[in-house]
Amino acid sequence: LGEQEFLMTTTTANAGKVMQHLEYFLDVVWPELKVTVTSVTDEWAGAAIGGPNARAILASCVTGTAVDNAALPFMGIVHGQIAGVPVMICRLSFSGEMAFEVYSGAGYGTRVWEALIEAGKPFDLVTYGLEALGTMRIEKGHVTGAEIDGRTTARDLHLDWMLSKKKPFIGSAMMDREGLVASDRLQLVGLVSLDNRPFNGGAHIVEELDEANPHDSIGHITACCYSPALGKYIALALVKGGKARHGTRAFVSDPLRNRFGPIEIVSNHFYDPDGSRMHG
């Protein structure tokens, strides 16, 4: 927000944990830093708006700023007004679609929400819930709690492009240890059901199917859904040496729920892998 002022948004369910983590590092690890953190959760109301028409809807109701790609690029921030209420608009996406987050003072949240709904009527705007959001994130291959389980590394999740090669970061001293670079580590992959049946979270992946004596798991499913975009049952999974297995066949083995069947191991990016829908 300024030279020395930042607003951090977190996953809603873990806002308290993130705040606790920041305070721990400031108190114990980096006490010399001239940094203060303050929870401002109660001061803000936020609404996310996403999809191919998201920008057009904002353009029809926002004053005081443009929202085109030049004025508001991906990861950009602008300030304007909606229904006379000062708002801060951040362009970011969890779903993989063109998306924005609109922030206002907490007391004006309902007014801004209703203005967005009204502006969206000519564009067939609908509200969506967590199941729809979860489906879109699986199609996109975005990771969340089930994949970030405290045992995976950035490399396992194909996020090592985010790691600095010029300066140290939390975990950098350990990242090249033998056990963390082993070729058979569990890596994030996508799965496609080849028998057109739903998956179950937590089900195991095996190379040879043995329903009478399930054994030799090479990984497990972390998240699954039916993909409306693909017309298939898909899943994200952590599989040994997963990246090298793209395009190969295996089996899902779930004896507790009597679900066995063939699968194809693919990239975790099922839909719009180049991000054109989000960056356009």
Side-chain angles (χ1 to χ4, degrees):
L1 303 182
E3 184 72 20
Q4 297 179 340
E5 185 179 8
F6 301 85
L7 176 67
M8 177 184 288
T9 65
T10 73
T11 173
T12 307
N14 290 315
K17 292 182 180 179
V18 172
M19 184 71 179
Q20 183 181 47
H21 195 66
L22 294 172
E23 290 178 329
Y24 168 80
F25 270 85
L26 287 174
D27 287 343
V28 178
V29 182
W30 292 316
E32 71 279 5
L33 293 185
K34 297 179 180 179
V35 175
T36 300
V37 294
T38 304
S39 175
V40 294
T41 297
D42 293 339
E43 297 182 22
W44 295 88
I49 179 169
N53 291 324
R55 180 189 282 143
I57 293 172
L58 286 177
S60 71
C61 66
V62 173
T63 59
T65 181
V67 293
D68 59 277
N69 201 55
L72 186 52
F74 184 65
M75 299 298 286
I77 298 175
V78 295
H79 295 267
Q81 298 85 38
I82 294 179
V85 177
V87 295
M88 179 176 67
I89 304 172
C90 309
R91 183 176 164 193
L92 47 87
S93 176
F94 179 76
S95 64
E97 292 289 326
M98 173 75 65
F100 305 83
E101 293 190 358
V102 181
Y103 294 96
S104 66
Y108 294 95
T110 301
R111 182 172 174 177
V112 171
W113 172 272
E114 291 175 346
L116 287 171
I117 295 296
E118 186 65 27
K121 286 181 178 178
F123 300 92
D124 298 323
L125 176 70
V126 296
T127 55
Y128 66 96
L130 290 177
E131 185 172 356
L133 183 61
T135 295
M136 288 190 288
R137 80 95 178 172
I138 294 171
E139 291 175 339
K140 190 68 177 176
H142 287 180
V143 296
T144 183
E147 294 82 34
I148 311 172
D149 64 359
R151 297 175 294 179
T152 53
T153 69
R155 284 197 187 105
D156 299 336
L157 304 177
H158 317 304
L159 296 176
D160 41 314
W161 57 270
M162 298 177 66
L163 306 180
S164 174
K165 295 178 173 61
K166 299 179 180 179
K167 58 184 179 182
F169 50 86
I170 296 172
S172 60
M174 294 179 58
M175 64 177 294
D176 291 325
R177 287 189 174 185
E178 182 178 351
L180 297 181
V181 297
S183 60
D184 63 347
R185 281 187 62 81
L186 296 178
Q187 295 178 332
L188 183 66
V189 298
L191 306 179
V192 176
S193 172
L194 296 180
D195 58 6
N196 199 33
R197 294 167 58 201
F199 289 124
N200 294 311
H204 287 272
I205 309 303
V206 296
E207 292 177 300
E208 296 184 10
L209 194 58
D210 187 346
E211 297 184 23
N213 181 31
H215 62 282
D216 292 340
S217 171
I218 60 171
H220 62 277
I221 292 175
T222 58
C224 50
C225 68
Y226 175 79
S227 167
L230 303 177
K232 301 175 181 178
Y233 289 101
I234 63 173
L236 296 177
L238 293 170
V239 173
K240 290 181 180 179
K243 192 171 184 178
R245 296 178 185 266
H246 287 184
T248 65
R249 302 288 179 91
F251 300 91
V252 61
S253 178
D254 190 359
L256 290 179
R257 289 166 287 197
N258 195 34
R259 167 67 171 104
F260 303 91
I263 60 170
E264 182 179 5
I265 299 176
V266 298
S267 166
N268 57 299
H269 300 300
F270 294 98
Y271 185 66
D272 185 38
D274 61 358
S276 59
R277 297 177 67 88
M278 183 169 61
H279 292 283

